Amino acid sequence: MSTADPALPGSPAHERPDRDERPVDWYELFFDLVFVAVIAISAQALEEGPGLWVVIEFVLLFFPLWWAWVNLMISNNLYGSRYPSMGVFVVAAMPGPAAMAIAMASGIEEYGWLYASGAAWIRLVLLLIWLIPYGARLVAVPLWRPLGYNLATAALWMGSITVETPYRYLLWVAAVGAEMILLVFRRGFAFEVYEQVSISHLLERIGLFVVIVIGEAVYLGVTGLARHPTIGGAAAALCGFLACALLARAFFRGGVPRTASGLDAARRAGSYSAMRDVVMYFPFIAVASLTLIAAAVGSAVAHPVIPLSGGARTLLAVGVSGFYLCNAVIGLRLGRRVGRVAVLFGLAMLLPTLACLLTGGLQAWATVGFVALALLALDVISGALGAHWYARR
């Protein structure tokens, strides 16, 4: 029997830790309730003003929220089952994203201090989460890493409060950018994260976040129809529901299983940068894209019998394309064949985009309906191509 410490790198008992049965905890689902409000606020802002600068502002302000969420997710993935106190810290982090969401809704120029305070609060909670296993000497990560990743960046966020706009935004970019740069340097870090994480838990957490965003499109359809119960509104809501169902099917029936096997292969090969990209970066594309789709569906339900505005149609086309772009870059990063990814992504770009652009003169519900039909055709084609490629093995 080995007496090696199972928590340290190089331990024979844990060269390939099997933690894939790690379940999602109740407090993680409770924490996600904050992001229900975040997505609702973002979708409403996009629905009311689907202009370029509104979209850019949404992406820039939403990414730090996503970044905080994914860092908390991974930290709890690693230590939540070892330390019951982790649930307390995850719940304690909730005021952070709540403050950031309030600032986004109230006006970032006036309430930027609240946004920065929320971001700093999350970093301080993350610091405590990492100091617990460090103090118990169960991790090999050097102390400077959590201090630099969390305490130093929290100081940047807090320091930005004293700086006038737009210069404070540069400090926000520096804070998030510093964390990204630290992830590139993996000394003493690869085993602690990439070898020990539960892949199934990561994908389940991301999947639940995707459900939140898809649910926002359904919510906007139902509430919009409740305010304006018309036949056209019902048609727009139904078509939006069908489109969301097809996107969810593509994500859970196709994307998740392939990603799970790809991540497992990446871990066996020691391709830690691929694991990082697929878990931390690329899903943001899908989440942001689905938010654009939710805003476009909400706009169609609110005004179903007039043509969907050019901005809303652009949101819909870009949203669907972005969702499949996420699938494409994940597939390529995990080693799928370029030709197969290119064929499916090309069809995913072409069919929904044509449905949006060629229906500008039709009523809004019809535009959403044609997009749903394009997604249905894409689902059928994808299934046929998949069966063909499988038969050729």
Side-chain angles (χ1 to χ4, degrees):
M1 181 178 293
S2 173
T3 58
D5 187 340
L8 295 178
S11 168
H14 279 72
E15 288 180 0
R16 281 294 322 283
D18 184 10
R19 302 189 61 211
D20 283 349
E21 297 303 317
R22 166 86 165 85
V24 172
D25 289 298
W26 69 267
Y27 55 81
E28 295 178 276
L29 302 178
F30 185 66
F31 176 78
D32 286 353
L33 293 177
V34 176
F35 285 85
V36 174
V38 171
I39 299 300
I41 289 170
S42 301
Q44 183 177 1
L46 291 166
E47 180 184 347
E48 293 175 353
L52 177 62
W53 290 112
V54 176
V55 174
I56 292 175
E57 181 179 335
F58 155 68
V59 172
L60 293 178
L61 293 178
F62 184 53
F63 184 78
L65 278 156
W66 163 263
W67 190 246
W69 181 87
V70 79
N71 275 277
L72 278 165
M73 174 193 69
I74 292 174
S75 300
N76 187 69
N77 180 294
L78 290 168
Y79 305 120
S81 60
R82 301 186 191 182
Y83 302 102
S85 59
M86 289 298 162
V88 176
F89 289 113
V90 172
V91 174
M94 291 180 72
M100 297 171 77
I102 293 170
M104 291 171 63
S106 303
I108 199 65
E109 290 190 6
E110 184 177 356
Y111 290 94
W113 63 271
L114 184 60
Y115 186 90
S117 299
W121 175 259
I122 296 171
R123 269 74 188 175
L124 294 176
V125 173
L126 280 167
L127 176 63
L128 294 176
I129 289 176
W130 278 88
L131 287 180
I132 289 177
Y134 179 85
R137 299 191 178 186
L138 293 178
V139 297
V141 175
L143 181 60
W144 67 265
R145 193 171 190 104
L147 290 178
Y149 196 91
N150 298 303
L151 186 59
T153 54
L156 284 175
W157 282 103
M158 291 303 297
S160 72
I161 296 176
T162 63
V163 179
E164 296 293 329
T165 56
Y167 303 107
R168 69 168 48 160
Y169 304 146
L170 297 178
L171 289 179
W172 296 359
V173 172
V176 176
E179 294 173 358
M180 291 181 175
I181 291 172
L182 279 173
L183 286 180
V184 176
F185 300 98
R186 300 192 304 270
R187 179 182 298 179
F189 192 64
F191 179 86
E192 293 300 331
V193 175
Y194 303 111
E195 286 291 339
Q196 294 196 65
V197 293
S198 166
I199 290 174
S200 64
H201 176 269
L202 294 177
L203 293 179
E204 185 176 1
R205 293 289 289 121
I206 293 172
L208 291 171
F209 201 105
V210 168
V211 168
I212 289 175
V213 189
I214 293 177
E216 186 58 36
V218 176
Y219 173 80
L220 288 175
V222 173
T223 55
L225 186 59
R227 289 193 299 268
H228 308 286
T230 62
I231 295 177
L238 183 61
C239 292
F241 176 81
L242 177 58
C244 290
L246 290 166
L247 291 171
R249 172 182 165 84
F251 181 83
F252 289 102
R253 291 287 297 273
V256 171
R258 286 194 295 266
T259 302
S261 60
L263 285 174
D264 188 60
R267 178 158 63 183
R268 290 196 304 270
S271 183
Y272 301 130
S273 60
M275 296 180 67
R276 176 201 63 209
D277 296 344
V278 169
V279 171
M280 301 188 74
Y281 298 145
F282 297 156
F284 175 75
I285 302 173
V287 170
S289 299
L290 288 168
T291 306
L292 302 184
I293 295 171
V297 171
S299 179
V301 174
H303 309 285
V305 296
I306 62 175
L308 203 59
S309 69
R313 283 187 288 115
T314 301
L315 287 185
L316 193 54
V318 172
V320 174
S321 299
F323 175 83
Y324 284 99
L325 173 63
C326 174
N327 290 342
V329 293
I330 286 176
L332 292 175
R333 195 69 177 92
L334 293 178
R336 293 192 67 199
R337 296 181 182 179
V338 175
R340 295 185 179 183
V341 172
V343 169
L344 291 176
F345 178 59
L347 291 172
M349 284 277 292
L350 179 64
L351 297 179
T353 299
L354 288 177
C356 289
L357 297 181
L358 299 180
T359 58
L362 301 180
Q363 296 180 353
W365 71 266
T367 296
V368 179
F370 274 103
V371 171
L373 289 175
L375 292 174
L376 180 59
L378 182 63
D379 182 80
V380 173
I381 294 171
S382 176
L385 288 175
H388 174 70
W389 289 329
Y390 181 81
R392 291 179 59 187
R393 284 184 173 184

